[in-house]
């Protein structure tokens, strides 16, 4: 995790039974944030219409659930700055779509941007991607 914005300490894991827009966090996987280290396992999920009911390409793949309890307002994006989403503050869950397949998700970088432009990048290097059955 590259933390130019001082955000890392404000990111945390989601409890296993927390609802993440129609899926429990444990269905998406188990992830921990320890300072600048992200680790755990993410599961390939299919038919996840609660995440994005209008874009079929984002209804199957890998998703990173997390909580943010910092004071600053953030935007997040994974691939392009054109598709930014507002980061909700705890106790509301944030979910980032990392990619439809393992190869794409492994290379994903979650960008968290403060209003002043300072950015934290979360890399998936500590994550195991479970492709399921």
């Amino acid at each position: 995790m590259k933390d130019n914005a001082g955000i890392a300490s404000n990111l945390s894991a989601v409890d296993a039974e927390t609802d993440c827009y129609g899926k429990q966090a444990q269905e998406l996987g188990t992830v921990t944030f320890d300072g600048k280290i992200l680790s755990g396992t993410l599961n390939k999920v299919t038919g996840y219409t609660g995440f994005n009911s209008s874009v079929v390409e984002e209804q199957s793949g890998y998703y990173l659930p997390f909580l943010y309890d910092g004071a600053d307002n953030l935007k997040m994006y994974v691939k392009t700055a054109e598709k930014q989403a507002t980061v909700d503050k705890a106790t509301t869950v944030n979910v980032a779509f990392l990619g439809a397949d393992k190869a794409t998700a492994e290379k994903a970088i979650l960008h968290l941007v403060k209003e002043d432009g300072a950015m934290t990048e979360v890399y998936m290097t500590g994550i195991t991607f479970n492709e399921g059955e």
Side-chain angles (χ1 to χ4, degrees):
M1 182 180 306
K2 182 178 175 184
D3 192 12
N4 293 335
I7 297 169
S9 63
N10 299 110
L11 301 177
S12 61
V14 177
D15 290 334
E17 295 181 8
T18 300
D19 178 63
C20 297
Y21 311 108
K23 297 275 186 192
Q24 287 189 330
Q26 63 192 358
E27 293 176 77
L28 303 180
T30 305
V31 177
T32 59
F33 292 84
D34 182 14
K36 293 183 181 181
I37 305 297
L38 177 66
S39 60
T41 301
L42 291 176
N43 302 318
K44 185 164 188 175
V45 175
T46 58
Y48 190 11
T49 58
F51 174 77
N52 192 335
S53 62
S54 61
V55 180
V56 174
E57 294 82 13
E58 292 186 1
Q59 294 176 2
S60 294
Y62 296 92
Y63 305 84
L64 176 66
F66 66 95
L67 295 172
Y68 168 69
D69 67 356
D72 295 296
N73 291 323
L74 301 179
K75 295 283 186 180
M76 71 174 166
Y77 62 94
V78 173
K79 294 180 181 171
T80 63
E82 291 82 46
K83 189 175 179 183
Q84 292 187 2
T86 300
V87 175
D88 291 317
K89 296 187 180 184
T91 60
T92 302
V93 173
N94 295 282
V95 177
F97 177 67
L98 302 178
D101 57 60
K102 179 180 176 181
T104 302
E106 286 175 329
K107 295 176 190 169
I109 301 170
L110 174 64
H111 303 271
L112 298 166
V113 185
K114 292 166 67 171
E115 290 175 329
D116 67 3
M119 179 172 50
T120 292
E121 295 176 338
V122 179
Y123 302 92
M124 303 304 130
T125 51
I127 298 293
T128 300
F129 293 89
N130 180 3
E131 296 183 86
E133 299 177 29

